[in-house]
Amino acid sequence: MSKYSSIISIKAKYQLAIFIVLFLLAFSTHAQTKSINIVCNETDFQNIYTNYKENIYIPVTIKYESHQWNAEMRIRGDASRVLPKKSFKIKFTNDTFVTGKTTLILNSEYNDKSYLRTFLSTYLFNQSNYYCSEAQHIKVFLNSNFFGLYLMMNNIDNEFLIANNLNINANLYESKNRGASLNVYDNIHYHWKKENNKSTDWKDIEKLIDNLNDCPVSEYYQFAKATFDYEKMINIIAINMLIANGSTYYHNYYIYNNSEKWLMIPWDFDKTFSAYGIEYPYHSSSNYWTSVLHDNPFFEKAILCEAIFNDVKTKLTQIHNNIFNPLHLNPIIDSIKNSISEAVESDSIDNISDTNEWKNAITQEVDFIKNRYDELIFQFNNFPSAFNVIAKPHINNDEVTFSWNKSKSPKGKVISYKLYYSLNDNFFSAETKIVSNINDTFYKLSLPEGQYFWKVVATDGIFEINGFDVLNTFIINNNVENIVINEINYNSSSNFDTDDWVEFYNPDNVAINLSGYVFKDNSHSYKFREGCIIGAKDYLVLCENAEDFTDYISEIDNYIGNTNFGFSSNGEVLTLFDSSGKIVDVVEYSPSYPWASEADGKGPTLELIQPYFDNFLAKNWRASSFHGTAGKLNGVYGSLEISITTDIKIYPNPANNLLNIIAPKETNIESITIYNSLGKVTFHKNKIQSKNPVKIELNKLESGIYILKLCTVKNTHLKRFIVVK
């Protein structure tokens, strides 16, 4: 026998010993599935099941082993709330559960017919010494009647931090809504939720997102070492690749700021393993079947950076050799299968028609574990390399130049590119245009006005890879940007205290990019983040404090914040500037006549009657009904019966000495009148021959905001403009 054969023999015996130990350990752990009994009023339970979209808590008694607790329970989850079998969140009111926790999660696992994905995912993270919730299969009884098989998990909160010896004074954030991608386009207070230290500011996550997006790939290795717990970063990326976690990086995770070293904590694993198939691409950080979500630079830049990607691949191989393999996992799977089979067969509200379907689902997961690592190695060795696009195309009038970096083939094949562009943010829509066989790293197009979404795909003719980011956007807008301050909440009532906010309206037919815009009151300023866009004919609310705002107004998502300053109840000037410093709009409000005094602490807001009226004039504002219409059409809209349109264009705006007017295609202009902000007529002319453009000299006008009123036989057209001397 050669020395190599001897070594192999010793290794085989060692592996067999490990196999037996793991099998016995797994069997003893899962041999008997424990039970929990939820005792509650049947009517209360039906109420939360019927009103599943609401976070309604009901009183319950929890019985587990020989103990019982008073608690409260509600439906939990995001998209899963609509499913027939719902998940629950339980909060213990006077004591802690046997785990020492005051909060308990019961996941229905409705989308996982194997009942394995979440358990195995949490097991792998914990076995690799990663911070992750633990999972345990449990039979749930409702008022002593078997209800279904669930997975019991710990919540990610301060108790989780304490259990893992992490600092509870450091900030923990949950990716609350789809699209929480640590991307510059995140609406922080909509996409994210602060789990602890709620009285403190959000500056750390704002700084993280800004720095993460600004950091070039060439500096990302040093940035990652300085900003993240690097070993944990490599670990979570490697495990997510192995388990094909296609439902993370844009939601279903937490980020935690531990002494300036950020940590990503995984959560919600029912769409892992075979959920998206063994061929799920290693490089995807958003839904790979659609492109309505931005990629996550935390992950994308890691695979773009050669040093980090090499570390990820090394860690991935280590995890595969140690725990992500059939030798290690199959005994655990067999033990779970034996322990939950009776509960699966008895569960009448799950997504399994019979036990054969369940066993087939388990077989799929076993095959996935057997083949996933080899699939990843194949992708590494064959797919075109990751590459990034230049997010902001160069726009010269209507000509757009798209640019991106090179992708390379590991096999030395020729790489070409496909450019996708559309007026729709879903690239599977009929509006999407595709330009194929591009051999350069740039492409030029002439496009009409609109907000466009685009991405680039590299291909070697067989395999493809998306460039980072998959959802870039730009705007071609040849009109004057005419954003209007449309609603103001400057003094909330005590019983509906949203803090202060202001609403903007875009009356144009084209979206407007607010990146770099500045909003000011008399003594404070707020700069709009990169990527902030207000859609065509759409509204945007700017909040003093988004958490306080959403405590009362939760049905909209077109809000941003925090300004961290409020407005004076004595009245003041509110001004919006564009990125070049030019005034876009300005309003000076007052709590007293001729302004509506009801808006001063009594509950209503100030609402502009029509967004085309001069909002500098008090007569064009009214007090709202109730607490206003944040992010929506004003309740007082059209209360003055004036038929107006805005089918005219004026330029330049701001103007200096000359104003050009492109009038509607009608026979004659009856009159043109210009009013200043006090309503005084500064220019008037009757019976103007209809020709485009109509030119009006502004030599006698001072700097300020003006209203242009153009009357034809059929219509009256109003347009606001600014004069700057």
Side-chain angles (χ1 to χ4, degrees):
M1 180 184 292
S2 71
K3 66 176 181 179
Y4 299 108
S5 299
S6 176
I7 292 172
I8 292 171
S9 177
I10 293 171
K11 182 178 179 182
K13 291 178 181 178
Y14 174 76
Q15 288 179 334
L16 178 61
I18 293 294
F19 177 89
I20 294 170
V21 170
L22 286 171
F23 179 82
L24 292 174
L25 178 63
F27 185 81
S28 64
T29 303
H30 299 100
Q32 183 177 1
T33 302
K34 294 185 177 181
S35 301
I36 190 169
N37 186 19
I38 302 170
V39 180
C40 65
N41 181 281
E42 291 282 356
T43 303
D44 286 346
F45 184 79
Q46 290 302 321
N47 180 41
I48 63 172
Y49 238 69
T50 302
N51 300 287
Y52 56 84
K53 290 184 179 180
E54 301 179 34
N55 292 333
I56 302 172
Y57 279 97
I58 62 170
V60 296
T61 298
I62 300 298
K63 296 181 179 181
Y64 180 75
E65 296 180 335
S66 58
H67 306 281
Q68 72 176 40
W69 298 262
N70 292 324
E72 54 183 10
M73 181 177 76
R74 69 167 173 85
I75 305 295
R76 70 163 299 275
D78 185 14
S80 65
R81 289 180 182 237
V82 303
L83 300 175
K85 185 180 179 183
K86 305 187 190 306
S87 299
F88 303 106
K89 182 176 184 178
I90 299 172
K91 294 175 69 175
F92 297 90
T93 50
N94 299 318
D95 201 355
T96 60
F97 193 53
V98 292
T99 58
K101 305 296 190 299
T102 59
T103 303
L104 189 65
I105 302 298
L106 297 178
N107 277 347
S108 71
E109 301 300 291
Y110 186 85
N111 288 316
D112 177 12
K113 296 184 180 184
S114 73
Y115 281 100
L116 291 176
R117 296 172 191 158
T118 296
F119 180 88
L120 292 177
S121 296
T122 57
Y123 173 81
L124 289 167
F125 275 111
N126 281 292
Q127 285 295 300
S128 64
N129 295 316
Y130 201 92
Y131 302 112
C132 183
S133 177
E134 295 178 343
Q136 174 186 344
H137 289 97
I138 191 161
K139 293 183 286 187
V140 173
F141 288 78
L142 182 68
N143 295 327
S144 299
N145 296 312
F146 180 70
F147 189 76
L149 178 63
Y150 276 73
L151 212 64
M152 185 167 67
M153 302 182 67
N154 298 324
N155 199 34
I156 307 296
D157 51 20
N158 273 348
E159 291 177 348
F160 174 87
L161 298 179
I162 292 170
N164 287 278
N165 297 314
L166 295 171
N167 181 10
I168 62 172
N169 294 317
N171 290 333
L172 175 68
Y173 298 91
E174 177 191 3
S175 54
K176 182 177 68 171
N177 288 310
R178 291 171 182 265
S181 305
L182 295 173
N183 197 292
V184 69
Y185 291 100
D186 284 15
N187 181 341
I188 291 177
H189 293 275
Y190 171 73
H191 286 115
W192 293 91
K193 176 185 177 184
K194 199 172 191 185
E195 282 292 328
N196 62 352
N197 307 321
K198 294 184 179 181
S199 62
T200 60
D201 61 45
W202 295 48
K203 290 182 179 178
D204 57 346
I205 186 174
E206 292 176 353
K207 180 180 178 182
L208 171 67
I209 291 175
D210 286 343
N211 292 343
L212 179 59
N213 284 272
D214 288 343
C215 179
V217 173
S218 60
E219 299 174 14
Y220 193 56
Y221 181 74
Q222 292 78 11
F223 175 85
K225 288 269 190 176
T227 306
F228 302 107
D229 183 326
Y230 185 75
E231 292 304 316
K232 298 293 186 186
M233 174 185 182
I234 298 306
N235 200 334
I236 192 172
I237 292 175
I239 293 182
N240 278 339
M241 282 185 184
L242 280 167
I243 64 176
N245 194 352
S247 188
T248 192
Y249 296 128
Y250 63 91
H251 72 155
N252 288 342
Y253 67 97
Y254 293 74
I255 53 171
Y256 169 69
N257 184 7
N258 189 24
S259 302
E260 302 302 322
K261 288 280 189 175
W262 287 90
L263 175 72
M264 181 177 285
I265 300 174
W267 178 253
D268 204 344
F269 307 97
D270 62 333
K271 294 179 181 177
T272 53
F273 286 81
S274 69
Y276 296 135
I278 193 170
E279 295 181 354
Y280 184 80
Y282 78 88
H283 55 78
S284 181
S285 72
S286 64
N287 302 72
Y288 77 101
W289 65 89
T290 184
S291 296
V292 297
L293 300 171
H294 289 282
D295 283 333
N296 190 316
F298 166 86
F299 170 75
E300 294 286 344
K301 291 186 178 182
I303 63 172
L304 283 166
C305 175
E306 184 176 1
I308 298 178
F309 193 24
N310 285 337
D311 286 344
V312 168
K313 288 186 281 189
T314 299
K315 175 62 70 172
L316 186 145
T317 298
Q318 291 173 355
I319 295 170
H320 163 67
N321 291 338
N322 293 332
I323 54 177
F324 188 87
N325 58 68
L327 180 67
H328 187 91
L329 293 179
N330 284 359
I332 297 174
I333 292 172
D334 289 339
S335 178
I336 294 173
K337 183 178 176 181
N338 290 331
S339 68
I340 68 174
S341 60
E342 180 185 353
V344 171
E345 189 171 357
S346 302
D347 195 328
S348 61
I349 57 173
D350 61 16
N351 195 26
I352 302 170
S353 58
D354 55 47
T355 54
N356 286 331
E357 186 178 14
W358 168 59
K359 291 176 181 178
N360 289 336
I362 291 178
T363 300
Q364 283 186 330
E365 305 307 343
V366 171
D367 289 344
F368 179 92
I369 294 166
K370 178 182 177 182
N371 298 304
R372 176 60 177 172
Y373 176 76
D374 290 339
E375 168 63 25
L376 288 173
I377 299 302
F378 176 84
Q379 291 184 18
F380 297 156
N381 293 335
N382 288 275
F383 281 20
S385 66
F387 68 104
N388 61 302
V389 304
I390 311 304
K392 292 183 178 179
H394 177 72
I395 302 174
N396 183 14
N397 295 323
D398 64 345
E399 186 180 73
V400 182
T401 303
F402 304 91
S403 302
W404 53 91
N405 293 328
K406 280 187 176 182
S407 173
K408 297 179 181 179
S409 167
K411 298 294 186 180
K413 295 181 179 180
V414 175
I415 298 292
S416 64
Y417 303 92
K418 293 191 287 188
L419 169 67
Y420 292 68
Y421 65 97
S422 178
L423 292 169
N424 191 302
D425 61 3
N426 186 332
F427 294 122
F428 289 90
S429 70
E431 294 177 326
T432 301
K433 310 294 183 185
I434 304 174
V435 182
S436 300
N437 299 316
I438 303 173
N439 296 316
D440 292 316
T441 55
F442 68 91
Y443 194 80
K444 293 184 178 182
L445 282 172
S446 293
L447 298 170
E449 287 187 340
Q451 180 181 1
Y452 291 87
F453 301 90
W454 66 288
K455 72 171 184 175
V456 178
V457 174
T459 178
D460 64 1
I462 299 176
F463 302 110
E464 294 185 347
I465 187 170
N466 287 314
F468 166 63
D469 192 350
V470 297
L471 190 61
N472 303 285
T473 186
F474 64 93
I475 295 167
I476 297 178
N477 186 355
N478 296 321
N479 291 328
V480 175
E481 296 182 357
N482 195 30
I483 299 171
V484 177
I485 296 174
N486 193 54
E487 188 171 359
I488 303 168
N489 183 69
Y490 67 87
N491 190 9
S492 301
S493 62
S494 58
N495 63 351
F496 199 84
D497 192 1
T498 60
D499 286 339
D500 295 349
W501 52 268
V502 59
E503 176 194 82
F504 304 101
Y505 176 68
N506 173 17
D508 285 347
N509 293 316
V510 179
I512 295 174
N513 188 344
L514 298 178
S515 304
Y517 275 51
V518 175
F519 172 75
K520 292 184 178 181
D521 67 359
N522 283 353
S523 52
H524 309 89
S525 65
Y526 171 87
K527 187 175 182 179
F528 287 78
R529 293 173 57 83
E530 184 70 27
C532 184
I533 290 172
I534 181 169
K537 306 289 185 184
D538 203 0
Y539 304 85
L540 181 68
V541 177
L542 178 60
C543 311
E544 176 186 359
N545 186 303
E547 281 193 286
D548 291 344
F549 177 81
T550 53
D551 280 345
Y552 294 92
I553 303 173
S554 59
E555 68 277 7
I556 68 167
D557 59 11
N558 51 337
Y559 64 88
I560 58 172
N562 296 340
T563 63
N564 294 315
F565 63 85
F567 313 139
S568 173
S569 58
N570 296 320
E572 61 180 327
V573 178
L574 305 180
T575 309
L576 179 67
F577 300 85
D578 69 13
S579 56
S580 67
K582 296 177 182 177
I583 294 175
V584 176
D585 196 21
V586 61
V587 172
E588 183 175 7
Y589 70 89
S590 170
S592 56
Y593 183 84
W595 291 82
S597 60
E598 298 94 323
D600 186 16
K602 298 180 177 65
T605 63
L606 287 174
E607 290 188 329
L608 189 60
I609 295 168
Q610 295 271 9
Y612 312 109
F613 287 2
D614 182 4
N615 60 3
F616 204 82
L617 300 180
K619 67 179 182 180
N620 291 330
W621 292 81
R622 295 286 186 273
S624 68
S625 300
F626 303 106
H627 303 290
T629 52
K632 303 176 182 177
L633 179 72
N634 287 350
V636 300
Y637 179 84
S639 60
L640 295 183
E641 294 184 2
I642 301 176
S643 176
I644 63 170
T645 71
T646 56
D647 298 331
I648 57 175
K649 294 182 179 180
I650 57 177
Y651 66 92
N653 190 3
N656 184 271
N657 294 318
L658 184 68
L659 185 69
N660 296 281
I661 306 168
I662 300 179
K665 295 180 180 180
E666 301 182 33
T667 53
N668 289 306
I669 298 173
E670 293 294 306
S671 66
I672 291 180
T673 308
I674 295 177
Y675 302 87
N676 66 13
S677 60
L678 300 177
K680 180 181 178 181
V681 175
T682 59
F683 174 89
H684 180 81
K685 188 172 182 180
N686 290 321
K687 302 295 182 183
I688 301 172
Q689 186 68 32
S690 181
K691 61 180 181 179
N692 287 322
V694 177
K695 299 181 182 293
I696 297 178
E697 292 186 358
L698 306 175
N699 296 330
K700 296 181 180 180
L701 299 188
E702 299 177 350
S703 297
I705 296 178
Y706 294 84
I707 300 294
L708 172 73
K709 179 180 179 182
L710 186 149
C711 297
T712 67
V713 174
K714 296 180 180 180
N715 291 302
T716 295
H717 309 271
L718 298 179
K719 200 78 170 180
R720 304 165 69 256
F721 68 97
I722 297 171
V723 174
V724 177
K725 296 292 188 180

